[in-house]
Amino acid sequence: FPPLQEKSLSVHCKQDLGPIVLIRLHKWRLFMEDAWFCKDVRVTAPNGTLYRFPCYQWLEGVTTVEVREGSGKRLVDDELQILKEHRRRELAARQEAYQWKNFAQGWPRCLNVGSILELDSNIQFSFVRATNFTGFLIFQGASHFLSGYQLRCTSWNSLDEMRTIFSRTQGRDIGRCLVCPPPPF
């Protein structure tokens, strides 16, 4: 799927499936980096019932993910054996992924990993996402910094005055001086 796009698929069944409580998504690797973020899956049954399956996970490489129907349920509400088994497997996987260790005496416990690279991509803040985030911050900072030059009508009288130009005052951006012409560029 291209970024920020939804895909509609139509799957026809010859018989009624009854209530849909669990789906499996299978993903195969297509390219070197083909990660796909699945927000949710919506299924409309022939009788018009809409089932929502919240996923909110990165699917990378070759993987299979099982997703429960999105209506909130307590453990005691699970009557079907397939849902009880799914919950048991999910808990075991989380206990495996989130093992804790003592970093130092008196410190809070932390994840038992040697490096962030050992974490699943849904847990770690990936290099690509970190780069995008850092790039956005640099762009915003540069825009804000340069706006101090563009919006200044006269010379600065002191270094303190110059500092106030490049900061926000009372939550508002410093506005353009109405008597000054716009910048030449």
Side-chain angles (χ1 to χ4, degrees), residues 29-100:
R29 181 184 303 271
L30 298 175
F31 304 105
M32 292 297 290
E33 178 62 37
D34 65 342
W36 172 58
F37 184 79
C38 178
K39 183 178 106 181
D40 64 1
V41 175
R42 294 177 214 138
V43 177
T44 304
N47 66 4
T49 303
L50 177 64
Y51 298 95
R52 293 178 189 262
F53 298 86
C55 187
Y56 297 100
Q57 294 184 54
W58 283 97
L59 307 178
E60 296 179 312
V62 178
T63 188
T64 299
V65 176
E66 291 183 340
V67 184
R68 296 170 61 107
E69 197 273 321
S71 55
K73 294 196 169 137
R74 299 173 300 166
L75 178 62
V76 296
D77 295 333
D78 284 341
E79 296 175 1
L80 299 173
Q81 189 59 35
I82 191 170
L83 293 179
K84 290 178 183 180
E85 183 61 24
H86 177 261
R87 193 180 291 263
R88 189 195 61 72
R89 284 192 316 268
E90 188 177 48
L91 179 61
R94 288 179 189 262
Q95 287 173 337
E96 178 71 24
Y98 299 110
Q99 293 184 13
W100 297 97

Side-chain angles (χ1 to χ4, degrees), residues 149-152 176 180-185:
Y149 286 114
Q150 293 175 353
L151 300 178
R152 183 69 184 172
R176 180 177 299 282
C180 298
F185 44 88

